[in-house]
Amino acid sequence: MKKCVKILDSKSGKQVVEYPISIDYIALNIGEIDFYNEAWKCAVDDKLVELDKRLEYRFVIDSNS
């Protein structure tokens, strides 16, 4: 399953980054939070956000994905 996740700055509303996230799953309960978690990990790894500042951002799944 693949979805595009946007990470937005909560205060400004500006998009920080967008990642295409693909989750191959065996589990039955894959939800939006799983895509958000993967996108957050990517943004931290890319040094676009600070690990402990997650509450300052919001996540949106692109409706076209």
Side-chain angles (χ1 to χ4, degrees):
M1 180 180 292
K2 183 178 178 182
K3 298 186 180 213
C4 286
V5 179
K6 296 178 182 180
I7 299 177
L8 308 171
D9 182 286
S10 291
K11 289 182 183 175
S12 70
K14 292 183 179 179
Q15 181 174 311
V16 176
V17 68
E18 180 175 344
Y19 288 110
I21 302 295
S22 182
I23 297 179
D24 294 326
Y25 62 94
I26 297 172
L28 299 175
N29 296 331
I30 298 296
E32 288 183 354
I33 192 70
D34 299 301
F35 288 93
Y36 298 162
N37 290 340
E38 288 300 314
W40 184 252
K41 288 177 193 174
C42 291
V44 169
D45 289 346
D46 290 344
K47 298 182 183 353
L48 298 173
V49 297
E50 294 179 42
L51 179 64
D52 61 341
K53 305 278 185 180
R54 185 168 174 157
L55 295 177
E56 296 179 14
Y57 299 89
R58 62 187 180 94
F59 300 82
V60 177
I61 291 181
D62 189 330
S63 59
N64 295 324
S65 59

